[in-house]
Amino acid sequence: MRRFSIAVAAAVTLGVASSSVPAQAHTGRPSPGLAHCTADTCHFNVPPGTYDVRVVVGGKTASATSISGESRRSLLPETAAPAGERITRSFTVNVRTPEGEPTGPEGTPGLDLRIGGSAPALAGIRVTRASHARQIFLVGDSTVCDQPGDPYSGWGQQLPQYLRKGVSVANYADSGESTVSYLGNPQLWATVRPLIRPGDLVLVQLAHNDKTTDEATYRANLETLVAGVRERGGQPVLVTPIVRRWFNPEGTLNNGTALLVNGLGVDHPAVIRSVAAARDVPLIDLTAKTKALVESLGAEGSKALYLTNEARDNTHTSVRGATAYAGLVRDELVTRHLVPKGKVRVG
């Protein structure tokens, strides 16, 4: 286990979070929130909901601290603090059951945070219920979901680290789902739709598993999802699927496998673009964005974005690839004025 700097010598387990007391790392007194931390993990016994987390990082020596939580979600990118300095960061996190994939295991109750980084040092932590948070719901498949095991990661699992306090990600993407199965499974769309509040964003990326879905059905399913979001007062955003890393001999991805054209000849990205235009829905063309990135890296360099070396998998992304693709989504959210620039982390 890596060495972990923490401001208290012993941790205690409490029934509820002492979240109403602010961290006091700058006064020399230990933060009460650290009583919920032991080794490199902090646990807060809170019910499902949305919570603001305020952390103070840094110590006597130079440090670099990151935070993940729940089902391997990246919540705070590695944050460097010079020796003797403290840095405060805040983010908002969604706590739910199941805590990862909607059809997966329930996970552990409450909020679990894991402290990482190359030289982690946590000086204070406070958890409070968020009162005015905006949710970004994710409706998608295994390339988006909170993947339970390393080295897999969906881009939705990495998106929270790019967001600041006041915006949280509720990732309801699920492995193996198509537009047909997502609409038909009561654990999925029937569960997500009632949770949408006015002003919430709902990003929809479903295509990889619509291998036998005809074009008329695929289009109708996308329109059903769009209408359902709008009926709840939410803002739908259609997202074209990430490319498969499937190169032509000349080094391009200009083929149906890479660009998600199914066995019936349905060009999924093209249909998504068409529905977005016809229904006046914001579009994030992640197919075009990921295609450009993968081609720029080439056949060898792009292997690191996927699990080519680990599992001969050119569809699912590594943590590195998912982080890069989540960054592309972040950029589009800002460019299209779907999330204020002040609510995202850049760089």
Side-chain angles (χ1 to χ4, degrees):
M1 180 180 296
R2 66 168 65 90
R3 178 173 294 178
F4 177 64
S5 173
I6 195 166
V8 291
V12 297
T13 302
L14 301 179
V16 296
S18 55
S19 56
S20 61
V21 182
Q24 299 173 349
H26 296 283
T27 66
R29 290 175 290 172
S31 163
L34 291 175
H36 299 274
C37 303
T38 178
D40 56 359
T41 302
C42 300
H43 174 76
F44 293 85
N45 187 24
V46 296
T50 305
Y51 295 88
D52 292 329
V53 180
R54 176 181 181 271
V55 297
V56 181
V57 298
K60 293 182 179 179
T61 60
S63 63
T65 308
S66 63
I67 298 178
S68 61
E70 297 297 88
S71 185
R72 301 178 61 236
R73 297 179 221 157
S74 295
L75 300 171
L76 182 73
E78 186 163 283
T79 301
E85 293 190 19
R86 302 287 190 269
I87 294 176
T88 300
R89 293 287 185 269
S90 298
F91 54 86
T92 302
V93 61
N94 172 257
V95 177
R96 61 182 185 274
T97 303
E99 68 180 23
E101 294 181 89
T103 63
E106 290 192 357
T108 57
L111 171 61
D112 290 293
L113 301 173
R114 283 167 289 282
I115 315 304
S118 56
L122 181 67
I125 186 167
R126 181 180 67 181
V127 176
T128 57
R129 185 177 285 276
S131 57
H132 301 291
R134 187 186 190 191
Q135 297 272 63
I136 299 179
F137 288 91
L138 303 182
V139 170
D141 52 35
S142 58
T143 65
V144 185
C145 76
D146 288 347
Q147 288 281 358
D150 185 68
Y152 287 82
S153 179
W155 63 256
Q157 203 163 16
Q158 301 300 324
L159 184 60
Q161 68 183 296
Y162 290 119
L163 301 172
R164 298 181 186 274
K165 176 184 174 182
V167 182
S168 70
V169 175
N171 192 351
Y172 282 85
D174 196 69
S175 293
E177 306 300 342
S178 65
T179 58
V180 176
S181 64
Y182 204 96
L183 285 167
N185 190 330
Q187 293 176 279
L188 299 172
W189 184 236
T191 296
V192 175
R193 186 176 177 277
L195 300 176
I196 300 169
R197 301 169 304 183
D200 286 341
L201 291 178
V202 183
L203 276 57
V204 178
Q205 186 217 277
L206 288 166
H208 278 272
N209 300 300
D210 280 279
K211 298 174 183 178
T212 60
T213 309
D214 63 80
E215 183 170 339
T217 302
Y218 185 64
R219 180 182 297 272
N221 288 344
L222 292 175
E223 291 174 341
T224 296
L225 290 165
V226 167
V229 174
R230 285 175 166 166
E231 287 165 3
R232 295 289 302 171
Q235 170 67 74
V237 180
L238 291 177
V239 184
T240 60
I242 68 169
V243 294
R244 295 189 180 98
R245 185 192 158 278
W246 196 267
F247 278 92
N248 297 325
E250 68 273 18
T252 71
L253 301 179
N254 297 323
N255 61 78
T257 299
L259 300 181
L260 282 295
V261 179
N262 75 8
L264 301 178
V266 179
D267 185 332
H268 293 105
V271 176
I272 295 168
R273 296 176 189 121
S274 174
V275 172
R279 301 295 176 181
D280 194 25
V281 178
L283 173 74
I284 295 178
D285 198 340
L286 203 52
T287 305
K289 295 287 185 181
T290 56
K291 179 178 186 290
L293 177 57
V294 171
E295 288 182 339
S296 72
L297 293 172
E300 189 61 33
S302 62
K303 289 180 179 179
L305 300 179
Y306 291 81
L307 298 173
T308 307
N309 294 327
E310 297 87 345
R312 297 184 180 179
D313 186 337
N314 292 300
T315 296
H316 297 96
T317 48
S318 63
V319 170
R320 178 175 172 179
T323 302
Y325 290 176
L328 296 176
V329 173
R330 179 271 316 271
D331 294 345
E332 288 293 288
L333 291 174
V334 173
T335 298
R336 299 183 181 284
H337 305 291
L338 296 168
V339 174
K341 185 179 294 187
K343 290 296 183 180
V344 302
R345 292 189 175 92
V346 180

